[in-house]
Amino acid sequence: MLRRRWWTALALTVGAAGAVVLGTAEPGLAAAGTVAPYVDMSNSQVGMLDQAAGAGLKTYTAAFVIGSGCNQIWGDTLPVGNDPNVDGEIDKARSEGAEPIISSGGAAGLPLAWTCTDQASIVAGYQNLIDTYHVTALDFDIEGAAIADTASIQRNMQALKTLKDKDSGLTFSVTLPVLPNGLTADGVNLVKAAHDAGVKLDIVNVMAMDYYQGDQDMGKAATDAASATLGQIQGVDSSYTYGNIGITPMIGTNDDGSTFSLDNAQSVASWARTQGVGRLAFWSVDRDQSCGSLAGDVHPDASSTCSGVSQNPLDFTKAFVG
């Protein structure tokens, strides 16, 4: 599932294979830091997760669960807990030592609170994700028109508050569109909605990609976006720190034609370690390989199954580990 950016026009209007070891406290990262790249669980290249897990990947973000009325399904339309492909892949990765963060939403779907208006069903649905996959971390990737849907956002934050009150060990992240100068106004309003509901988000994860602003240093754009976002969310709650920031670039060729290179990955990872950034991720493990069949391993357009740049398998994963 190629990750197209429905929010681009809105954002522009508003805000002009080697050994790897990853986990919740990797050497060189701040104690709170996690490297958790996204894996498109409905993608034919999900076998890349096996390679990464077999090489020592400790954490990944499993994408995407989407709402279907008051039910939840994976992006391939099979129900949560009854998808032999996805469920089997999660079980296999876990047997190899890789634990998932379950992500809902994405560019082509919506989290449950956006498709269901019954608050009890929303809470039960998120609890089902936690119980079915034995996880303590949920991510909500909120894009397109969803980020401006205030009623759905309020339902989502109230559900998180209910779950957190029941189990303080749960962690919640929101993954939001960003420009190099920070979140859009809707993104800031979403963080305010969490605050109003009594929820401090564990991670505000910025999608440092697809800015549609022309050629630029995508590494610097990512760190600029993270810095600006921290300032914005501190305006909502001064207790937020870099430990509450996540950075998620799109490796290699982006949909807007820009390129996030291996050098960019190394510079962002180094900066994140220095600042104590709470989470590093990228879209996606499925793409962490060259497009090999084309001259120079280069692909002119963003592909869902390869990076579009010359690389060895898992080079970006290793670069983010540092």
Side-chain angles (χ1 to χ4, degrees):
M1 179 169 56
L2 186 57
R3 192 178 182 78
R4 296 293 178 187
R5 298 286 166 226
W6 295 355
W7 54 269
T8 299
L10 173 64
L12 291 174
T13 300
V14 175
V20 293
V21 180
L22 300 149
T24 57
E26 303 88 340
L29 277 176
T34 301
V35 177
Y38 280 78
V39 177
D40 186 345
M41 303 304 293
S42 303
N43 187 292
S44 61
Q45 293 298 109
V46 74
M48 289 292 292
L49 172 59
D50 297 330
Q51 294 183 40
L57 179 68
K58 298 302 181 186
T59 312
Y60 65 98
T61 307
F64 287 107
V65 169
I66 59 178
S68 178
C70 286
N71 298 311
Q72 292 179 109
I73 59 177
W74 285 99
D76 59 5
T77 74
L78 292 176
V80 164
N82 193 25
D83 186 328
N85 294 323
V86 173
D87 297 349
E89 189 62 38
I90 289 174
D91 288 343
K92 184 176 181 182
R94 177 170 275 137
S95 73
E96 296 170 332
E99 290 293 323
I101 298 167
I102 304 297
S103 184
S104 297
L110 299 168
L112 184 62
W114 277 256
T115 64
C116 178
T117 58
D118 181 75
Q119 195 66 35
S121 295
I122 296 167
V123 172
Y126 294 161
Q127 186 66 57
N128 184 45
L129 291 178
I130 293 164
D131 295 341
T132 298
Y133 297 110
H134 310 291
V135 297
T136 59
L138 299 181
D139 174 63
F140 298 90
D141 185 305
I142 304 167
E143 307 182 34
I147 200 171
D149 186 342
T150 57
S152 297
I153 290 168
Q154 289 171 356
R155 290 194 295 269
N156 199 67
M157 298 310 171
Q158 187 56 56
L160 302 192
K161 178 68 163 59
T162 300
L163 292 168
K164 193 89 163 183
D165 286 346
K166 180 181 177 182
D167 184 353
S168 62
L170 297 174
T171 61
F172 301 120
S173 57
V174 292
T175 298
L176 303 174
V178 74
L179 291 169
N181 64 347
L183 299 171
T184 66
D186 287 326
V188 175
N189 287 337
L190 184 145
V191 177
K192 289 179 180 177
H195 181 75
D196 291 344
V199 175
K200 182 177 180 180
L201 297 164
D202 296 282
I203 297 288
V204 178
N205 181 36
V206 299
M207 292 186 284
M209 59 186 86
D210 285 342
Y211 305 116
Y212 288 87
Q213 292 184 340
D215 191 27
Q216 60 185 306
D217 182 332
M218 292 294 281
K220 184 177 185 301
T223 57
D224 284 350
S227 294
T229 296
L230 177 59
Q232 290 171 305
I233 66 175
Q234 284 179 332
V236 177
D237 181 343
S238 62
S239 70
Y240 278 117
T241 69
Y242 273 117
N244 301 112
I245 292 290
I247 307 174
T248 299
M250 183 175 184
I251 59 174
T253 304
N254 282 222
D255 296 311
D256 66 355
S258 59
T259 300
F260 186 89
S261 68
L262 281 166
D263 285 345
N264 292 149
Q266 291 161 356
S267 68
V268 169
S270 176
W271 183 88
R273 287 191 294 273
T274 300
Q275 301 298 332
V277 166
R279 183 179 298 170
L280 277 177
F282 59 83
W283 184 266
S284 62
V285 170
D286 318 71
R287 304 179 72 247
D288 197 1
Q289 58 185 335
S290 74
C291 298
S293 61
L294 297 178
D297 297 331
V298 174
H299 198 291
D301 300 309
S303 167
S304 61
T305 59
C306 59
S307 66
V309 300
S310 181
Q311 65 160 110
N312 295 315
L314 301 181
D315 270 353
F316 280 95
T317 301
K318 290 185 285 186
F320 274 90
V321 176

